[in-house]
Amino acid sequence: MSPYPVRRLLEAVLVFFGVTLLIYWMVYALPGDPVAALAGDRPLAPSVARALRERHHLDEPLIAQYGHYLAGLFQGDLGTDFTGRSVSEQMAERWPVTARLALTAWAIEAVAGVGLGVLAALRHRTWTDRAVLTFTIGAVSVPVFVLGYTAQVVFGVRLQWFPVAGDGAGWPSAYLLPALVIAVFGLASVSRLVRAEMVENLRADYVRTALAKGLSRRRTVVVHVLRNSMVPAITCLAIDLGYLLGGTVIVEGIFNLPGIGQLLFQAIRGHAGPTVVGVSTALILIFLVVSVLVDLVNSALDPRIRRD
């Protein structure tokens, strides 16, 4: 194995330990007693509270608690909440919803974003280029909750093209509208990246050389220009995929989709520390795996990356 993949894997491992330790510390080092908060206004019996603290190692130093958590994590255990329910089971129930939403949004983002970027670059400084730039600027300027509620009212309530909320209608009916809301922000960034890279590459010497040697413009654009322009777009798409698979809290809340984002939001509101840490750890793993894979893909597309 070449040094570059090994270096990226080692960096990912260091980031994993550093970020999970930080999250664990932020969750459990905060003032307050999570066991006492579990009972609400009625205090728990001392024996029950003591048993819960021992079971979750809350009576030990923070670094020892983190060690116990890592020991379970290496065995595939994301932890157990204070009610005795496995975090892995809770995520398994909600994962299909988030996966369907994320992959639908990501597909829209990839196809529309790259397509608009290529179109704008090939029609540089025309009304088509200006229209794409105007759309992307407007898309990223609108807060996601404003766009989500507006789309829900217009296309769900008034026009009745899509279900208003919930996943009862199944895929794609229940997922297409929230996926479009999420994808708008990502495709705006992807299209601008592809446009900027393609405009620069279309002016490069290798393009003029290829055309002078008789290579058709279409083949030059597809085989050479587009390939060299996709490195930043692939990075952006990969990061967005990790974000989407992690669950979009706001959109899942607006459209009442029972996914990972909604689970994390409920855990934060309910002070369910084990669930917050377990879900966050799973999201970190997703981001790191996707990040390493996209770096390896980029290094294959552009060998210069391996020499950095």
Side-chain angles (χ1 to χ4, degrees):
M1 183 179 291
S2 63
Y4 181 75
V6 174
R7 187 173 73 248
R8 286 297 295 116
L9 289 173
L10 291 176
E11 291 172 353
V13 171
L14 292 175
V15 170
F16 171 77
F17 283 113
V19 175
T20 53
L21 177 60
L22 179 62
I23 291 176
Y24 200 94
W25 178 82
M26 292 176 65
V27 171
Y28 286 103
L30 293 175
D33 187 353
V35 174
L38 182 66
D41 296 332
R42 301 180 60 183
L44 287 174
S47 59
V48 175
R50 184 169 56 255
L52 284 173
R53 290 190 180 93
E54 291 177 357
R55 178 178 181 182
H56 294 278
H57 307 287
L58 298 179
D59 54 346
E60 300 181 23
L62 187 64
I63 191 65
Q65 298 178 36
Y66 179 67
H68 288 298
Y69 176 72
L70 286 181
L73 184 63
F74 291 148
Q75 299 176 17
D77 183 12
L78 288 174
T80 305
D81 65 14
F82 293 124
T83 64
R85 193 175 182 194
S86 169
V87 175
S88 300
E89 292 179 359
Q90 298 180 55
M91 291 190 64
E93 293 176 358
R94 296 170 178 262
W95 177 252
V97 174
T98 295
R100 283 191 289 266
L101 175 62
L103 294 177
T104 303
W106 191 79
I108 296 172
E109 176 183 332
V111 174
V114 174
L116 288 175
V118 172
L119 179 63
L122 296 178
R123 300 290 187 271
H124 186 47
R125 293 182 178 177
T126 65
W127 68 268
T128 304
D129 184 24
R130 298 188 185 94
V132 172
L133 290 177
T134 302
F135 166 73
T136 55
I137 293 174
V140 298
S141 301
V142 181
V144 62
F145 65 89
V146 174
L147 184 61
Y149 281 120
T150 301
Q152 190 178 46
V153 171
V154 173
F155 298 106
V157 177
R158 296 184 179 178
L159 298 178
Q160 298 183 353
W161 289 356
F162 303 97
V164 176
D167 62 339
W171 189 90
S173 299
Y175 292 86
L176 191 56
L177 185 58
L180 285 169
V181 171
I182 301 171
V184 163
F185 298 92
L187 71 86
S189 301
V190 171
S191 63
R192 294 179 72 89
L193 282 173
V194 172
R195 173 191 175 275
E197 289 293 319
M198 283 198 64
V199 168
E200 181 178 353
N201 282 308
L202 285 170
R203 298 170 179 170
D205 292 337
Y206 74 86
V207 173
R208 289 191 291 269
T209 302
L211 294 175
K213 289 184 175 181
L215 198 65
S216 67
R217 180 173 176 82
R218 178 178 180 181
R219 182 173 177 79
T220 302
V221 170
V222 174
V223 176
H224 299 288
V225 176
L226 185 58
R227 176 184 174 179
N228 293 336
S229 303
M230 284 301 295
V231 171
I234 289 174
T235 303
C236 181
L237 285 168
I239 293 174
D240 280 351
L241 178 60
Y243 167 72
L244 293 171
L245 289 174
T248 50
V249 178
I250 297 177
V251 172
E252 287 184 2
I254 292 173
F255 291 91
N256 194 28
L257 295 173
I260 300 296
Q262 190 183 80
L263 172 63
L264 181 59
F265 178 70
Q266 293 173 348
I268 294 173
R269 289 188 59 186
H271 303 285
T275 303
V276 174
V277 173
V279 173
S280 300
T281 300
L283 304 189
I284 292 167
L285 285 172
I286 292 173
F287 274 107
L288 289 177
V289 170
V290 171
S291 176
V292 171
L293 288 177
V294 74
D295 285 344
L296 296 179
V297 171
N298 285 339
S299 68
L301 292 175
D302 188 353
R304 294 173 298 177
I305 295 176
R306 296 194 293 266
R307 297 192 293 268
D308 292 342

